[in-house]
Amino acid sequence: MTLERYNPGACETRWQQVWTDRETFTTRTDEAGEKYYVLEMFPYPSGRVHMGHVRNYTMGDVVARFKRARGFNVLHPMGWDAFGMPAENAAMANKIHPRSWTYDNIAVMRDQLKSMGLSLDWDKEFATCDVEYYTCQQQLFLDFLDAELAYRRKSTVNWDPVDQTVLANEQVIDGRGWRSGAEVEQRDLTQWFFRITAYNDELLEALDSLERWPEKVRVMQKNWIGKSRGIEIPFQLTDPLDGCENIPCYSTRPDTLRGASFIAISADHPLAKTLENTSPELAEFCAKCRKLGTSEEALEKAEKLGFDTGLVVRHPVTPDILLPVWIGNFVLMDYGTGAVFGCPAHDQRDLDFARKYNLPVRNAFVMPDADRDVENEALVPSKSEQVLFKDHFTGITLATSQEAIDKTIDWFEEKGLGIGMIKYRLRDWGISRQRYWGCPIPVIHCESCGIVPVPRADLPVELPDDVTFEKPGNPLDHHPTWSQVKCPTCRGDARRETDTMDTFVDSSWYFARFTSPRAKTPTEPEVVNRWLPVDQYIGGIEHAILHLLYSRFFTRAMKATGHLDLDEPFAGMFTQGMVVHETYQKPDGGWATPDEVTISETENIRSAILNETGEKIEIGGIEKMSKSRRNTVDPSDIIETYGADTARWFMLSDSPPERDIIWTEAGIEGAWRFVQRLWRLVHDTHGKATYDPVPADLDGPALELRKTAHRTLALVADNIEGLRFNRSVAHIYEFANALTAVLGDKANPSQNLAPVLGEAVRFLILGFGPMMPHLGEECWRAIGGDGLLVDQQWPEIDQNLMQDDTITIAVQVNGKRRDELTIARDMAKEDIEKAALALGNVVRDIGDRPVRKVIVVPNRIVNVVA
RNA sequence: GCGGACGUGGUGGAACUGGUAGACACACAAGACUUAAAAUCUUGAGGAGCUGAGCUCCGUGCGGGUUCGAGUCCCGCCGUCCGCACCA
């Protein structure tokens, strides 16, 4: 009979329906089996699923399905990170309410995700903009407030005076608002903060326990927290100003104090603000500094500028040396004391500054072998390198900077001239957003009672529906009645807080909520403690710092307030790479989509033509799929054409999951052909394979095939466990090639091949099942397998089949491969040596040189040194 | 600027703790099947050389080093990418 092509369109929806009807993926906490919680970062409902989601969710699904097959009780939920600015931007642009825009998008994307055949428990689904969810978040906020983990203070923000809104750093382009084009101001607003710094040491220390996290993510978090030991030294002003007698400076390099030649303070330093009142030029300079923005990057990249305040301080060790006080545009008020001493000889930035403003350059130390003064390059050896200090006040001469730093701090503390201290770069987390589409902060401002938390009985503070986006600013502020409220304490007229929470708050505890998504309280402790931590979390590297750090903080804060009982939310973390695609640039500079061009290749030279006009078009760089470059491919188009399994297989093939994957038409077609090939291969075993027990005494091709089957499944399992999906894929290919070869071998003498073939084809289906689940079910049914594939356990691997009795090792002469040797496994060293030296190629290559040494690494290699 | 990662054939990538570099796939070429095309199957291939089916030399971004042996470890460069606190 002729075999019909595998038709994913019909099969995939059918199997998805079967899984849904049987509630295959509905998780119950009380079910048997060790728990396994696999989670992919939930998507922002932007409108359509993109290829990055396909990759992310495919990986998670392979892990989830594999762990199910391994007997675990798997929790694999999905939801929506649904608050955020794009909904408000859409509201402004298209007059759609953010709520309907968001829920409409969710409906579309849910269908798209369902078409991928993911083993998700959709009963657990929620969106962070659901009232039930943000009500719980408001409860958490109130608990944090009680625990003094939430508080209010002033802080500086980027303010767009036209749009009347706070801007993200990325929304400030060349000092102007991205939408309005207005010059951005730095404004002090009173804002809500979470006291993440209460845990800074703990968040740092615990990083070492996160063994299944990528090293680079841990390093990034470590640097972000930025623990440093330094000293705070007050520099005495020669003439006190407004009662201020000294300027405390924080430094991590007090060993360079001898070279100090100026003090630089932030434009936001209290002294600078005082001086602004008396000097218009200085005020203007400070205003210019503030325009630089609030990002560290902007500060560091900008040209270093200063303004001499005319104030003078004394050097703390040698009081007759006087240092000028400058305002520097590179000094951050938020870090340390907002004032630093400049040491040009040992800091390039300070050196540039000193040369520009003609300030002295004095070495604190020199290299032991080169006693030279610094000219145009600062001397910045590593802290562990020995240097020669010049008349150091503690008497140090030859020492490392680290030793000198420690000694200097001790010296200052003894004399009472300064205080050694540990500082962190990590700042408290500002959560106030002057926006509509977010979780309202549940507090009330009362003129007589101050800040009053909304009583828990009055929760939720719901977002009003009737808002307008025509006026600039926060719609909650413009609402005629929403913010008017009676004070819960004194019953007088009061005003609701109109700030909403940063959307990072929403995503900082959703993983806990998934364990009891319908509970009235944020979590149910018995349930959440049963499921957490997440055993495998998968998402983009862009979240390596903030989202993960905030979630780690939230878990601790929720522990402190009794919502759960652990510190670290994610036991295993994996960051996957992006999906990238070629770009096609038209002669007029515009971009063409992949659909609009046809690629041809001759003699390894690729060229593209624009379908519409037939003209040649330039193939541009390979870049992250983005709307602006128009190099996106819509997952739904791919699934419609090739099926979900083909898309999933391609996503797993070739590229290591942590690296970027290049989406190509050729690649997806290759995956498609393999899907068809597997389908044919399974059918070709019909009539040749039996499903009886495999006899114990096998030999020849039957034994070889059986070894391949068992080894492949062991390797596939191992590589899925290690999240090396591309290698699992390669082993499936090799297995399929081996099976094809056996089936094609007409003169096969083995008596016992039929049951071995049966086992092999079963193993093959079980092996690719987690990756291509629909094809797997279809094949499983075709061979008459019991029940559903999805309910099968991963097969037992026979350890006796893992190793061959004979092995082939390479034989080198002087490190160059000259021959190979097939020998019994674990043969004695002396015997291997003898056999190697007898090889023809080896004898010839050595010639009449004496054999000086023979290195034998058993089961690996022989190297003859002659 | 600071911090981090990466660099292997025409392409994506394999190579476990230093032990046969290029598994597997894509693309390509030749052949089979076909009226033809598609699909499918078979075969080939890192580069250079040698009167040639075997062997030699070169080869993992570049330059050094350690070692019997380096894609892998160390030092110094070059290049590409990512993050930098209100995008999610």
Side-chain angles (χ1 to χ4, degrees):
Chain A
M1 76 180 183
T2 52
L3 173 65
E4 291 205 5
R5 270 189 159 200
Y6 175 66
N7 175 6
C11 290
E12 291 187 348
T13 41
R14 195 178 66 237
W15 289 115
Q16 285 158 18
Q17 197 56 50
V18 170
W19 298 327
T20 306
D21 292 346
R22 298 197 179 199
E23 299 184 359
T24 301
F25 305 122
T26 306
T27 305
R28 284 169 199 83
T29 302
D30 52 12
E31 237 165 63
E34 197 182 328
K35 74 96 183 176
Y36 195 90
Y37 187 176
V38 55
L39 183 68
E40 302 97 58
M41 288 180 182
F42 66 164
Y44 179 78
S46 57
R48 313 246 339 140
V49 165
H50 58 68
M51 281 299 174
H53 295 129
V54 174
R55 193 176 192 202
N56 190 181
Y57 301 148
T58 299
M59 289 179 192
D61 197 49
V62 172
V63 173
R65 286 175 179 271
F66 174 73
K67 287 290 177 181
R68 269 178 59 85
R70 277 285 169 96
F72 287 85
N73 184 20
V74 172
L75 176 61
H76 186 209
M78 182 55 71
W80 309 94
D81 189 11
F83 275 136
M85 283 207 319
E88 283 187 66
N89 292 339
M92 280 182 256
N94 309 318
K95 299 204 189 296
I96 308 170
H97 194 279
R99 173 172 288 108
S100 46
W101 183 85
T102 303
Y103 282 104
D104 288 352
N105 285 349
I106 288 174
V108 171
M109 291 172 74
R110 185 192 297 116
D111 283 348
Q112 287 186 293
L113 289 188
K114 285 190 173 177
S115 74
M116 285 178 63
L118 303 170
S119 63
L120 290 166
D121 181 356
W122 284 103
D123 290 352
K124 305 268 190 294
E125 177 193 5
F126 61 79
T128 56
C129 64
D130 293 346
V131 180
E132 296 76 21
Y133 186 79
Y134 75 74
T135 303
C136 291
Q137 192 159 302
Q138 290 173 344
Q139 290 175 31
L140 288 175
F141 179 90
L142 294 176
D143 289 347
F144 289 6
L145 197 59
D146 287 345
E148 295 183 2
L149 289 167
Y151 68 98
R152 241 160 75 96
R153 70 165 160 88
K154 285 206 165 186
S155 111
T156 311
V157 295
N158 301 309
W159 181 261
D160 184 321
V162 170
D163 275 353
Q164 300 274 299
T165 185
V166 175
L167 298 177
N169 283 328
E170 64 151 25
Q171 293 172 324
V172 181
I173 299 151
D174 293 332
R176 291 173 181 276
W178 66 302
R179 190 196 296 278
S180 69
E183 268 198 36
V184 172
E185 299 167 10
Q186 299 297 299
R187 232 188 225 198
D188 275 340
L189 291 187
T190 304
Q191 310 223 66
W192 286 96
F193 284 83
F194 282 149
R195 204 181 300 278
I196 190 170
T197 56
Y199 296 96
N200 48 21
D201 228 1
E202 212 190 295
L203 289 167
L204 179 69
E205 298 287 317
L207 285 173
D208 289 338
S209 70
L210 300 174
E211 285 162 22
R212 294 200 294 117
W213 278 45
E215 180 63 22
K216 72 169 164 183
V217 173
R218 288 189 284 170
V219 170
M220 282 163 95
Q221 294 221 347
K222 186 173 172 234
N223 292 335
W224 190 256
I225 296 168
K227 183 177 182 173
S228 67
R229 178 162 188 251
I231 187 166
E232 194 175 304
I233 304 171
F235 283 67
Q236 300 297 324
L237 283 159
T238 51
D239 300 302
L241 181 77
D242 258 16
C244 173
E245 294 190 355
N246 62 57
I247 303 175
C249 293
Y250 177 73
S251 172
T252 57
R253 293 302 302 267
D255 59 315
T256 65
L257 200 53
R258 180 184 186 264
S261 62
F262 65 96
I263 300 286
I265 62 173
S266 161
D268 294 314
H269 194 277
L271 270 179
K273 293 197 168 168
T274 308
L275 290 165
E276 272 188 286
N277 299 324
T278 55
S279 162
E281 293 86 18
L282 187 145
E284 199 185 313
F285 179 78
C286 288
K288 220 162 80 189
C289 291
R290 287 181 197 122
K291 268 185 203 142
L292 260 182
T294 54
S295 82
E296 219 171 274
E297 185 190 10
L299 290 185
E300 294 287 334
K301 270 191 187 157
E303 191 193 359
K304 309 301 177 274
L305 297 174
F307 189 95
D308 190 351
T309 62
L311 299 175
V312 174
V313 295
R314 294 189 184 282
H315 192 285
V317 183
T318 42
D320 39 325
I321 295 182
L322 299 178
L323 309 176
V325 178
W326 287 65
I327 293 170
N329 67 349
F330 52 89
V331 185
L332 279 163
M333 192 58 220
D334 283 330
Y335 188 68
T337 59
V340 296
F341 70 78
C343 177
H346 304 295
D347 184 304
Q348 192 60 43
R349 188 178 59 186
D350 292 348
L351 184 64
D352 296 342
F353 191 83
R355 292 296 181 219
K356 186 164 187 167
Y357 297 110
N358 273 320
L359 296 161
V361 179
R362 285 178 86 198
N363 278 57
F365 53 78
V366 293
M367 298 313 288
D369 54 349
D371 189 347
R372 272 195 300 272
D373 286 339
V374 159
E375 283 175 15
N376 288 319
E377 205 173 312
L379 179 62
V380 196
S382 112
K383 279 191 199 172
S384 54
E385 207 172 325
Q386 254 197 358
V387 294
L388 185 62
F389 283 88
K390 309 197 83 169
D391 51 32
H392 196 271
F393 42 90
T394 62
I396 287 175
T397 51
L398 201 60
T400 68
S401 284
Q402 192 55 60
E403 290 161 1
I405 289 166
D406 293 339
K407 237 176 166 171
T408 307
I409 293 173
D410 292 347
W411 187 89
F412 265 87
E413 289 199 316
E414 262 170 46
K415 306 256 174 197
L417 291 173
I419 313 153
M421 53 180 69
I422 307 262
K423 293 240 184 206
Y424 297 85
R425 205 184 76 103
L426 183 65
R427 312 201 290 256
D428 274 335
W429 173 16
I431 59 154
S432 289
R433 300 290 182 270
Q434 292 69 33
R435 302 212 173 97
Y436 166 74
W437 195 231
C439 173
I441 295 174
V443 296
I444 290 164
H445 300 274
C446 171
E447 293 224 352
S448 36
C449 307
I451 306 276
V452 182
V454 172
R456 283 176 168 73
D458 294 350
L459 291 183
V461 177
E462 243 181 285
L463 286 171
D465 270 338
D466 49 337
V467 282
T468 56
F469 295 91
E470 275 108 57
K471 269 196 276 181
N474 183 352
L476 291 178
D477 270 337
H478 303 146
H479 194 279
T481 55
W482 185 77
S483 63
Q484 293 168 18
V485 69
K486 294 291 176 202
C487 169
T489 311
C490 72
R491 292 283 136 208
D493 285 344
R495 198 180 143 73
R496 276 193 196 290
E497 171 71 68
T498 54
D499 282 355
T500 52
M501 294 185 211
D502 178 6
T503 56
F504 269 121
V505 179
D506 312 337
S507 55
S508 292
W509 69 286
Y510 78 108
F511 49 87
R513 181 69 183 169
F514 273 136
T515 61
S516 299
R518 312 287 169 244
K520 291 282 175 220
T521 48
T523 62
E524 294 174 304
E526 341 60 88
V527 183
V528 75
N529 292 330
R530 168 83 201 278
W531 284 107
L532 286 183
V534 174
D535 295 279
Q536 186 62 62
Y537 194 32
I538 307 177
I541 185 71
E542 66 273 22
H543 293 293
I545 300 177
L546 294 185
H547 164 60
L548 293 176
L549 194 63
Y550 292 156
S551 298
R552 297 178 62 218
F553 158 71
F554 239 78
T555 305
R556 286 166 171 82
M558 287 173 78
K559 183 183 177 187
T561 49
H563 293 283
L564 43 72
D565 191 26
L566 81 163
D567 294 318
E568 287 297 336
F570 311 123
M573 175 67 218
F574 186 82
T575 53
Q576 102 266 4
M578 295 184 299
V579 181
V580 295
H581 196 286
E582 264 180 350
T583 52
Y584 310 103
Q585 191 152 31
K586 296 185 204 173
D588 66 5
W591 302 92
T593 67
D595 294 349
E596 291 167 354
V597 300
T598 303
I599 307 286
S600 57
E601 176 161 347
T602 38
E603 305 283 313
N604 287 331
I605 295 163
R606 288 161 52 79
S607 55
I609 52 163
L610 194 59
N611 294 335
E612 202 184 338
T613 60
E615 65 188 320
K616 212 169 162 190
I617 182 166
E618 196 183 324
I619 299 180
I622 295 167
E623 295 183 46
K624 179 180 179 174
M625 285 190 180
S626 74
K627 282 181 188 146
S628 60
R629 289 279 192 262
R630 304 189 74 207
N631 61 340
T632 56
V633 175
D634 190 291
S636 289
D637 293 347
I638 296 300
I639 290 172
E640 207 175 299
T641 312
Y642 300 101
D645 285 336
T646 301
R648 292 167 60 118
W649 185 253
F650 176 68
M651 278 303 182
L652 299 166
S653 313
D654 290 0
S655 286
E658 69 278 8
R659 246 188 260 180
D660 289 351
I661 187 167
I662 304 173
W663 183 275
T664 62
E665 191 70 14
I668 189 74
E669 277 176 3
W672 164 253
R673 283 197 298 270
F674 188 62
V675 165
Q676 297 299 339
R677 197 183 139 200
L678 283 175
W679 179 239
R680 281 194 309 272
L681 180 57
V682 168
H683 275 262
D684 287 348
T685 61
H686 191 73
K688 297 180 183 168
T690 59
Y691 296 92
D692 309 321
V694 178
D697 52 335
L698 294 172
D699 56 12
L703 180 61
E704 289 309 311
L705 180 61
R706 185 142 201 260
K707 280 181 187 170
T708 305
H710 282 253
R711 287 177 194 181
T712 299
L713 270 268
L715 287 164
V716 168
D718 204 47
N719 284 317
I720 292 176
E721 295 271 10
L723 307 173
R724 298 173 294 261
F725 306 109
N726 56 319
R727 275 142 82 174
S728 293
V729 164
H731 291 303
I732 294 285
Y733 271 113
E734 282 180 326
F735 188 19
N737 291 346
L739 203 45
T740 305
V742 171
L743 284 172
D745 188 357
K746 300 244 160 29
N748 217 310
S750 179
Q751 297 287 321
N752 293 319
L753 197 59
V756 173
L757 261 179
E759 185 188 62
V761 75
R762 243 176 35 238
F763 272 39
L764 178 69
I765 297 166
L766 289 162
F768 71 71
M771 305 183 233
M772 296 188 283
H774 313 88
L775 177 68
E777 293 288 3
E778 200 68 18
C779 289
W780 190 253
R781 192 175 64 174
I783 66 163
D786 291 334
L788 294 185
L789 176 68
V790 73
D791 292 325
Q792 303 305 310
Q793 289 296 294
W794 194 259
E796 288 292 325
I797 306 301
D798 185 344
Q799 291 304 320
N800 297 324
L801 298 168
M802 290 297 106
Q803 285 189 344
D804 280 318
D805 298 336
T806 59
I807 51 170
T808 301
I809 64 171
V811 179
Q812 300 179 333
V813 177
N814 292 335
K816 287 190 196 298
R817 183 186 170 282
R818 285 292 177 258
D819 210 331
E820 57 184 33
L821 199 55
T822 301
I823 53 168
R825 174 174 286 281
D826 298 326
M827 190 192 238
K829 269 190 171 189
E830 307 80 69
D831 298 337
I832 299 174
E833 182 174 331
K834 216 181 287 174
L837 289 171
L839 288 167
N841 285 346
V842 174
V843 170
R844 199 187 33 157
D845 202 77
I846 295 172
D848 43 13
R849 283 171 295 165
V851 174
R852 285 192 288 154
K853 199 172 173 188
V854 181
I855 289 140
V856 180
V857 182
N859 301 335
R860 274 272 159 87
I861 203 161
V862 179
N863 190 10
V864 180
V865 185

